[in-house]
Amino acid sequence: MTAQTDPVPPDDPRPAPEAETGGRPAAGPDPQAETPPAPAAADGDPPAPTSRSRRRRVLRILKRTAVTLTALVLLAAGSLAGYAYWTVQRSLPQLSGGVKVPGLRGEARIVRDASGIPQIYADTAHDLFLAEGYAQAQDRFWQMDTQRHVTAGRLAEMFGPGEVQTDKVARTFGWYRVAEREVAMLSPQTRQYLRAFSDGVNAYLAEHQGAELSVEYPVLGFVSGDYRPEPWTPADSVSWLKTMAWNLNTGMIDQFQHAMLAARLPAGTADDLFPGYDYRRWSPIVPDRSPATTASARPPFAASPAPAAAPAAPSGGAGGAGGAGAAPALPAGAATALADSAAVRTVLASVLGPQGTGIGSNSWVVAGSRTTTGKPLLENDPHLTPSLPGVWYQVGLHCTRTGPECPYDVSGFTFAGMPGVVIGHNADIAWGFTDLGAADSDLFVEKVSGSRYAYQGKQLPLTVRREQIKVAGGRPVDLTVRSTRHGPLISDVLKSAGEVAGKGTEPGVPPPGARDGYAVAMQWTALDPAPTVNALFALDRAKDWKDFRAAAADFASPVQNMIYADTAGNIGYQTPGRIPVRKAGDGRHPVPGWTGSYDWTGYLPFDQLPTSLNPPEGYIVTANNAVVGPRYPHLIGSDWGTGYRSQRITELIRRAGKLDVAAMERITQDTWNGNAATLVPHLLRVKVGAQAASAQDLLRDWDFAQGADSAPAAYFNAVWRELLKEAFTDRLSKAGVKGYAYPDGGGRWFDVVRGLLDKPDSLWWTSATDPSVRGRDAMLRRAMERAAADLHKRLGDAPRKWRWGALHTLTPENPTLGTAGPAPLRWLLNADPVGVGGGTDAVEANGWDPQRGFEVIWVPSMRMVVDLADFERSRWINLTGASGHATADTYTDQIELWAKGGSLPWPYKAAAVDAAARDRLRLTS
């Protein structure tokens, strides 16, 4: 649309525009002025222009020029907008009608509801998983493509030099190399399913490219030029499990923190910061129901696949109770290598999100004796880093006729790029996962000299591997990966290839002065190839408890808690995964590698892992709490999460009477803050200044709920943030402790402060920046006054109008171009902020990091409640939406409902799926 104008004609009788004379009329001609007469016009010539006519002509030219420029600008903008609209619309997939898909052996159907969630039907398992690959490529290929580049250490090929460090880390761990080895270990049937899924993805790639795949690809072209996605492979699917295992590996965090704090703080002071699991207050997942049992009373077991029998229990304590074993002595020179290793976490956090003890999950299952239907109910909500699109993909996979050749009738959540269903239910059973917090990794400090390392008095050769990282818009980067018998040297990762490999020396030898003689190797179960993917397909077709446990026996990493329910009325729990058996140590501290004293001798056999079927309580709760009690004879974990969430869930189950799906969902929305219940009475006893007094009053009669509209929750969490800074962060910083050991504000820190409340003169209650703040009450007063001042600035001068959700906001972001792309693309790819309730170690675990602010950094990434009496009453919700296309109406459509605690109907049987259908796509060969 162009602008309309009204140019002045040559004989316009209207007066000339007034001169700029402060609003007064312009003065007329001066009769005294000597103005020469205008020359006479020749016949046929236009009249000579006067000053007034020249001015009109200039105005006409300016107006016409302005019109022309405006039209050109609008035309260009319109063209750009039109091109952008055309580009983004091209990426939207065909969801209805028919399409030919090479590789199908028959016909398949993809039925999507109004939320875009696909339910897939086929006559054979091959066609079922091929169609799933096709559907995932339609909805999420950009996410799939970037994820496989993360695990393969090939992000720089897409995004340029800024991702070289990330690639170095992934290549050093060798995630993709491990995945390739795992594919070869899988059963022939599983490999066929992975191949079929890959064929489905590749069938979509064969017909779509660039903007037809996703709106991000045309933008990526400005960075990587001629980038074209490669065909999908089975290893691309398997490798994503490695990054999930990394995100859930909190044991490595604990080892770094133990080492750094012990090295930097006065003797014994660090112990205050690791209070251990309190079995007097919190129950384990699997209680010890047998008479008193000790490790020495149990016969030795054979670790699998150990060459010889292992000790009955590791020294350092059984059952993950923390153990009594002291940290092994390490030379002072090891600190530099440990610090180099710790930086690996920061690099990966930039693409995978933060690790932390708050990332965990909730799940619980209740028996029919506690439900309105007499059949079990099962809930699961894994806590992970938020992203857009979310990490989960909702899907149903249905053989049109189930039988030995096509045994799948399953629905639930999987990862983008992963075939099958990871969490969900089939016609007979339901299951869920939470993180266990197993002691499944160790940091070994190694003595390295040239191309060799010390081990039990000998000098062994380092294993050396060389790789080259391709870089879009830059030169390739060489990487040298060195390993010992304990694993890759992760302290090498962020050093230059020349620094690691050496220049002018033999391969693998660092140049003089580049090392102080120590390096850190990481041994981790996720780096030991295993056929875990076999377990996922076995779960999808399991019919009973026996099948469920058989599937769990194949699940190696990450070590998880698994809960179970079936239509026959049974509920159960199983620990799956590889648990190392150590000669010594408990997985809490870095250990010397050169002695051999802390080596792994194998893995705990599956039949020794914790399990429970139909416990007398009629429920099982897992929320990253201890799995077993202190009498359990084997080391499973060393630093459990706390029991705040598990105990609260247990209390709510016991209070609820007979539960139904709605009651289970209400439990997921509980925001009670167990830390506040401990700390608020102390805060109310402290006298504060006038500005803080009105804020302090908010805490009186507070029920410790943290709804988004809560003013007391806003103030308490601001106080908590200030208290952690004043009491701990400042002191740790002054002591030279790095940021990865700063308080994350989670349950462990709840108990740190709880333990110090009875020590009013502890060193931790003295400010490191202002010595006049000395003692518990002075520290609490400082925190309350500073928090009040902060919120007056942020939220205004009326404390009762403060709202927790105004501070505690979630902003789902696209983790690639949504954080680093041009502003219009970020606007397109990212969602608007939404205020939420809950908090770290609340049941509604919308976690935040006090070192960064109040913004949400991990969330219940999905929620589901399965009703084993009638699957059609089950409910589910994803964090974002089914689609990965920013202009699809199913890109962010679940966020608001998720934030309000709502959920979607979960159709399962064909009639329910058909009734909910919006789009139907028929696939033929």
Side-chain angles (χ1 to χ4, degrees):
M1 182 176 179
T2 57
Q4 301 296 313
T5 61
D6 184 17
V8 178
D11 56 350
D12 191 347
R14 292 174 292 182
E18 294 180 345
E20 296 181 357
T21 56
R24 295 172 296 174
D30 184 351
Q32 304 297 321
E34 296 182 357
T35 304
D43 291 343
D45 291 338
T50 64
S51 60
R52 178 176 295 181
S53 64
R54 282 196 299 268
R55 184 163 55 188
R56 288 179 176 175
R57 183 179 178 186
V58 169
L59 287 172
R60 287 196 301 271
I61 292 172
L62 289 176
K63 285 187 176 183
R64 290 168 179 166
T65 302
V67 170
T68 303
L69 290 175
T70 300
L72 290 173
V73 169
L74 290 174
L75 180 62
S79 298
L80 182 60
Y83 174 75
Y85 179 79
W86 177 73
T87 298
V88 297
Q89 291 301 112
R90 288 176 68 200
S91 68
L92 296 178
Q94 177 185 345
L95 302 181
S96 297
V99 62
K100 291 188 177 298
V101 178
L104 279 174
R105 297 170 183 173
E107 180 179 302
R109 292 181 296 118
I110 303 174
V111 182
R112 288 179 167 90
D113 62 12
S115 297
I117 300 168
Q119 302 282 345
I120 302 172
Y121 295 85
D123 294 334
T124 66
H126 171 274
D127 286 359
L128 191 66
F129 294 116
L130 190 149
E132 185 185 17
Y134 191 88
Q136 287 198 26
Q138 284 186 303
D139 292 331
R140 299 280 192 95
F141 186 74
W142 170 262
Q143 182 184 24
M144 295 163 61
D145 197 16
T146 55
Q147 285 179 175
R148 66 171 168 173
H149 279 78
V150 171
T151 56
R154 297 176 59 189
L155 271 183
E157 291 182 24
M158 296 182 74
F159 299 106
E163 298 299 340
V164 168
Q165 297 287 63
T166 307
D167 287 350
K168 284 184 177 182
V169 174
R171 297 280 188 103
T172 297
F173 282 124
W175 288 335
Y176 199 84
R177 295 166 60 88
V178 174
E180 289 178 315
R181 293 170 63 190
E182 289 185 342
V183 170
M185 299 171 66
L186 296 170
S187 70
Q189 184 184 63
T190 299
R191 289 201 302 272
Q192 289 170 11
Y193 294 160
L194 288 168
R195 184 71 263 167
F197 179 87
S198 298
D199 288 346
V201 175
N202 294 331
Y204 191 74
L205 292 184
E207 299 297 327
H208 302 80
Q209 59 184 345
E212 296 172 332
L213 284 173
S214 188
V215 69
E216 291 93 339
Y217 283 104
V219 180
L220 185 67
F222 291 105
V223 177
S224 55
D226 59 352
Y227 175 80
R228 295 290 184 275
E230 296 175 353
W232 192 263
T233 71
D236 293 336
S237 295
V238 176
S239 63
W240 187 243
L241 292 178
K242 303 305 169 188
T243 61
M244 296 305 299
W246 170 263
N247 271 355
L248 298 172
N249 181 20
T250 58
M252 186 187 71
I253 302 173
D254 294 331
Q255 291 188 45
F256 282 134
Q257 291 186 350
H258 274 286
M260 294 300 160
L261 291 171
R264 300 284 184 177
L265 297 177
T269 309
D271 293 340
D272 289 336
L273 307 184
F274 295 92
Y277 192 86
D278 191 345
Y279 284 97
R280 296 167 301 178
R281 297 158 58 209
W282 307 316
S283 298
I285 297 169
V286 182
D288 182 6
R289 304 184 193 282
S290 63
T293 305
T294 63
S296 59
R298 294 287 296 269
F301 58 85
S304 174
S315 63
L330 293 173
T336 300
L338 285 166
D340 288 342
S341 304
V344 166
R345 289 183 54 225
T346 303
V347 170
L348 287 178
S350 66
V351 293
L352 296 178
Q355 290 176 300
T357 55
I359 297 182
S361 306
N362 298 325
S363 72
W364 62 92
V365 59
V366 295
S369 60
R370 290 184 175 271
T371 71
T372 59
T373 65
K375 293 288 187 179
L377 293 166
L378 182 147
E379 191 280 345
N380 197 188
D381 59 284
H383 306 159
L384 297 169
T385 304
S387 64
L388 182 59
V391 67
W392 297 106
Y393 184 82
Q394 294 155 287
V395 67
L397 300 169
H398 310 280
C399 294
T400 52
R401 180 177 298 175
T402 57
E405 297 301 316
C406 195
Y408 298 99
D409 188 13
V410 61
S411 185
F413 297 83
T414 189
F415 301 123
M418 175 69 68
V421 166
V422 175
I423 295 174
H425 74 84
N426 59 29
D428 300 295
I429 75 166
W431 69 94
F433 286 95
T434 62
D435 186 45
L436 185 141
D440 62 354
S441 64
D442 270 313
L443 298 174
F444 285 89
V445 177
E446 310 280 22
K447 290 182 178 178
V448 177
S449 177
S451 61
R452 296 181 173 272
Y453 69 101
Y455 182 73
Q456 292 187 329
K458 299 178 181 179
Q459 292 292 313
L460 303 181
L462 289 164
T463 301
V464 179
R465 184 178 82 247
R466 291 179 177 79
E467 299 198 20
Q468 188 176 81
I469 299 170
K470 296 179 181 179
V471 182
R475 295 180 178 179
V477 174
D478 294 322
L479 175 68
T480 299
V481 180
R482 307 187 302 169
S483 302
T484 71
R485 63 182 286 120
H486 299 122
L489 297 181
I490 62 173
S491 52
D492 281 358
V493 175
L494 303 181
K495 300 182 183 297
S496 68
E499 200 176 358
V500 173
K503 293 182 178 179
T505 61
E506 63 177 293
V509 180
R515 286 288 187 277
D516 55 12
Y518 297 100
V520 176
M522 184 175 180
Q523 188 165 10
W524 180 27
T525 59
L527 302 183
D528 189 357
T532 295
V533 178
N534 281 344
L536 299 180
F537 288 105
L539 282 173
D540 287 358
R541 59 179 181 262
K543 292 184 175 298
D544 53 26
W545 174 247
K546 180 181 177 182
D547 289 348
F548 171 78
R549 292 197 73 223
D554 275 340
F555 197 100
S557 178
V559 181
Q560 297 283 282
N561 300 302
M562 294 181 67
I563 59 170
Y564 167 91
D566 62 33
T567 56
N570 300 298
I571 66 170
Y573 168 87
Q574 177 65 53
T575 294
R578 288 179 168 175
I579 306 291
V581 177
R582 297 167 170 84
K583 290 182 179 178
D586 58 9
R588 294 191 302 161
H589 308 275
V591 296
W594 59 87
T595 67
S597 301
Y598 296 87
D599 282 4
W600 296 3
T601 60
Y603 295 119
L604 193 64
F606 181 75
D607 61 7
Q608 298 284 338
L609 295 176
T611 188
S612 176
L613 179 65
N614 296 325
E617 297 87 358
Y619 59 81
I620 301 168
V621 176
T622 86
N624 317 120
N625 50 316
V627 176
V628 291
R631 293 177 179 176
Y632 183 77
H634 312 306
L635 175 68
I636 298 294
S638 49
D639 280 311
W640 305 117
T642 58
Y644 284 96
R645 281 181 287 117
S646 63
Q647 194 65 27
R648 179 65 174 174
I649 294 167
T650 299
E651 291 171 0
L652 294 173
I653 290 172
R654 287 174 173 172
R655 285 187 209 164
K658 297 292 186 179
L659 292 142
D660 58 11
V661 170
M664 295 280 280
E665 290 195 299
R666 285 194 295 272
I667 294 175
T668 70
Q669 297 305 295
D670 183 78
T671 62
W672 186 79
N673 188 323
N675 184 37
T678 298
L679 189 54
V680 164
H682 291 270
L683 297 177
L684 291 176
R685 284 196 290 267
V686 175
K687 186 175 181 179
V688 295
Q691 186 184 51
S694 58
Q696 185 186 40
D697 286 342
L698 295 173
L699 304 179
R700 304 184 195 281
D701 301 320
W702 179 36
D703 62 0
F704 312 130
Q706 302 173 99
D709 291 335
S710 173
Y715 180 56
F716 176 81
N717 284 299
V719 172
W720 180 237
R721 184 179 184 225
E722 292 292 340
L723 181 62
L724 292 174
K725 178 183 183 302
E726 289 287 324
F728 304 104
T729 302
D730 290 347
R731 182 165 298 281
L732 294 176
S733 178
K734 188 174 181 180
V737 176
K738 300 295 184 181
Y740 48 77
Y742 291 165
D744 64 7
R748 188 185 110 209
W749 289 94
F750 294 3
D751 266 25
V752 168
V753 172
R754 185 176 186 271
L756 292 173
L757 287 172
D758 293 331
K759 302 175 183 178
D761 299 320
S762 168
L763 173 67
W764 295 107
W765 295 126
T766 299
S767 171
T769 58
D770 183 358
S772 68
V773 178
R774 182 181 297 273
R776 178 196 61 202
D777 290 353
M779 184 68 76
L780 296 180
R781 180 181 302 109
R782 169 66 69 93
M784 284 193 287
E785 291 179 345
R786 291 201 165 182
D790 181 35
L791 294 197
H792 274 277
K793 292 178 181 178
R794 291 175 184 259
L795 302 179
D797 294 329
R800 295 201 175 274
K801 293 184 179 180
W802 293 346
R803 296 293 179 265
W804 177 221
L807 300 170
H808 193 50
T809 58
L810 169 66
T811 307
E813 289 185 327
N814 182 295
T816 54
L817 298 180
T819 57
L825 191 65
R826 295 199 304 271
W827 173 84
L828 177 68
L829 295 177
N830 299 332
D832 293 331
V834 57
V836 295
T840 305
D841 264 290
V843 178
E844 187 183 341
N846 294 319
W848 56 286
D849 184 348
Q851 306 301 325
R852 299 170 58 178
F854 301 104
E855 293 77 14
V856 175
I857 61 169
W858 55 74
V859 296
S861 54
M862 63 80 160
R863 294 191 297 266
M864 73 175 196
V865 177
V866 182
D867 187 339
L868 276 295
D870 183 355
F871 289 124
E872 303 306 331
R873 288 198 295 258
S874 303
R875 309 285 294 186
W876 61 353
I877 189 75
N878 209 341
L879 173 63
T880 57
S883 179
H885 299 289
T887 56
D889 62 355
T890 57
Y891 183 57
T892 58
D893 61 307
Q894 296 187 50
I895 292 177
E896 185 175 351
L897 187 61
W898 173 93
K900 292 179 178 178
S903 61
L904 296 170
W906 186 351
Y908 175 61
K909 294 181 180 178
V913 169
D914 188 63
R918 183 178 74 174
D919 300 298
R920 294 178 174 85
L921 184 65
R922 182 169 170 260
L923 310 184
T924 57
S925 59

